[in-house]
Amino acid sequence: MKEHNDDILSPHLLKENQAAYGVPKVCITLEALQKMKCFTDEFPHEINGFGTVVKKENVLTIMDVFILPQVSGANHLHVATDSNSFNQLIYKLVKKGKDPSLIALQWHSHSSASVFFSLEDISTIRKYLNCDFMISIVINKKGDILSRLDIFRPIQISLEVPLMVIIPDVHPKVRDVCRNAIEKCVRLDSETSYQGNKKRKMNTGKPNQCKVATHFLLDKGNKRERHGLSETN
């Protein structure tokens, strides 16, 4: 009997021009990612938590993360959340008329160890069968991140997915600083250029003295020194 090739028998994602729907995208707000990293950095051992997720079409966005009372093992990668605390959280959400299914993220740290999903992690994921889906993340102190999406209904499937960070809009003050620096430091090779629909004369000579509009601080012992970057002549 001819042996089957595992590759042939395994399903593959269809290319964009063939797929009726694209692959689900998992995003996270910058603030939520920073909180997760801060929880990881500030505790020396493994720590875990949950998060709220908003679904819009085929995009899942992690809006916030939080932790609950838990017990962490000091000498091994293990942490257990107090089940009563989780149940109380769900009860309070329902009582306030909020949707408990928004809690569709579970995450945990591996402290200084590498990131991976252990057999215990996978067993934990299988307990969320009452949800439509669950995002799971492992993070460590180096900032390594591994994320997955497990869909439970209407069929069960597990996907390793990249985590895309949502960068907030640039603050108006930051934009002004950048515009001023460009105006002072950058010149074009041609004599004329179009800005929007308006034609204007460009200064193609040597740019004016370019002063960096920000400063950076260096810590030297207990003494903090302010440094400005030098001018360009």
Side-chain angles (χ1 to χ4, degrees), residues 25-78:
K25 294 180 180 179
V26 178
C27 304
I28 185 170
T29 64
L30 182 60
E31 182 180 356
L33 180 61
Q34 289 175 331
K35 285 177 68 175
M36 192 188 303
K37 185 65 169 65
C38 191
F39 283 134
T40 301
D41 290 343
E42 294 298 320
F43 189 68
H45 307 292
E46 183 169 335
I47 188 171
N48 75 4
F50 299 90
T52 53
V53 178
V54 171
K55 178 181 180 295
K56 186 176 182 181
E57 297 178 348
N58 222 23
V59 179
L60 307 173
T61 303
I62 301 167
M63 303 299 295
D64 192 20
V65 300
F66 57 90
I67 60 174
L68 294 173
Q70 57 194 276
V71 177
S72 178
N75 299 317
H76 58 287
L77 293 177
H78 176 77

Side-chain angles (χ1 to χ4, degrees), residues 96-110:
K96 291 179 179 179
K98 296 184 178 180
D99 185 2
S101 68
L102 291 176
I103 303 176
L105 164 71
Q106 55 119 359
W107 64 272
H108 68 278
S109 72
H110 273 186

Side-chain angles (χ1 to χ4, degrees), residues 25-166:
K25 294 180 180 179
V26 178
C27 304
I28 185 170
T29 64
L30 182 60
E31 182 180 356
L33 180 61
Q34 289 175 331
K35 285 177 68 175
M36 192 188 303
K37 185 65 169 65
C38 191
F39 283 134
T40 301
D41 290 343
E42 294 298 320
F43 189 68
H45 307 292
E46 183 169 335
I47 188 171
N48 75 4
F50 299 90
T52 53
V53 178
V54 171
K55 178 181 180 295
K56 186 176 182 181
E57 297 178 348
N58 222 23
V59 179
L60 307 173
T61 303
I62 301 167
M63 303 299 295
D64 192 20
V65 300
F66 57 90
I67 60 174
L68 294 173
Q70 57 194 276
V71 177
S72 178
N75 299 317
H76 58 287
L77 293 177
H78 176 77
V79 62
T81 298
D82 181 8
S83 58
N84 288 333
S85 297
F86 185 80
N87 292 336
Q88 288 174 10
L89 173 64
I90 299 299
Y91 173 76
K92 289 178 181 178
L93 288 174
V94 173
K95 193 174 181 180
K96 291 179 179 179
K98 296 184 178 180
D99 185 2
S101 68
L102 291 176
I103 303 176
L105 164 71
Q106 55 119 359
W107 64 272
H108 68 278
S109 72
H110 273 186
S111 189
S112 299
S114 60
V115 293
F116 61 92
F117 288 100
S118 66
L119 293 177
E120 183 179 354
D121 295 335
I122 296 170
S123 177
T124 300
I125 290 170
R126 290 195 180 107
K127 296 176 182 178
Y128 291 99
L129 287 174
N130 59 329
C131 306
D132 289 342
F133 66 89
M134 179 63 70
I135 301 169
S136 302
I137 294 176
V138 184
I139 183 173
N140 64 14
K141 291 183 182 296
K142 290 193 299 182
D144 299 328
I145 295 177
L146 185 62
S147 53
R148 61 184 285 162
L149 171 64
D150 290 274
I151 301 172
F152 304 121
R153 284 198 292 263
I155 61 172
Q156 297 171 0
I157 187 171
S158 299
L159 300 170
E160 183 176 329
V161 292
L163 187 63
M164 292 178 281
V165 182
I166 299 172

